[in-house]
Amino acid sequence: EVAEISIKDIDQIGKSSFPLCMRHLFEKLREDHHLKHGGRMQLGLFLKGVGLKLEDALAFWKAEFSQRVGSERFDKEYAYSIRHNYGREGKRTDYTPYSCQKIITSAPGVGDHHGCPYRHFSEENLRAALGKMGISNRAVEDVMDKVRNRHYQLACTLTFEAVHGTSCDAGINHPNQYFSDSQKVLQ
Ligand code: SF4
């Protein structure tokens, strides 16, 4: 069962337990107070999977977006799709968070921040992002080696292992699995 998380814990939990794809979206959202559709879907459904309740999700996104577009426009143009993700609008489908496979094969365009950093970042940007996660030069080289061979999920698995100082034998195949495995290690 998924535990609930609250907005006040999100930054701390993000730093310790989000995979790089979600850390990146989260940082960009905080920086730009905006994300394009693909990013809102990828991060929004991930946060839902992590245990952010609908009311908290609305407050979280509103706090950022209203700094950019105003709260009225947020309520009019963006709140619907968040409720939609939680199955409260339209066909009332309860949408599930994206798998690594889906994220890796997505095609982010200019100004998009969704996708998988191991697949979609330049080498320079990926090295900088890994450095910010505090992993050793040696581990960065091992990750880059997997990336060159297009083993993106293995690259993510090595990152997980370097960050947590423990092995991850199952490998990473879903951002929410990365999160729950991380929480298990940290608890
Ligand atoms: Fe995210 Fe999966 Fe890519 Fe890791 S391998 S960064 S969890 S999409």
Side-chain angles (χ1 to χ4, degrees), residues 38-56:
R40 295 200 301 274
M41 292 297 289
Q42 185 177 310
L43 179 62
L45 289 172
F46 169 78
L47 291 174
K48 174 185 161 187
V50 154
L52 194 66
K53 297 285 145 215
L54 174 61
E55 293 316 311
D56 287 340

Side-chain angles (χ1 to χ4, degrees), residues 62 64-76 78:
K62 187 170 183 166
E64 293 300 331
F65 268 64
S66 58
Q67 294 180 55
R68 176 81 173 261
V69 301
S71 56
E72 215 171 292
R73 218 179 120 197
F74 174 85
D75 290 340
K76 256 209 218 124
Y78 299 99

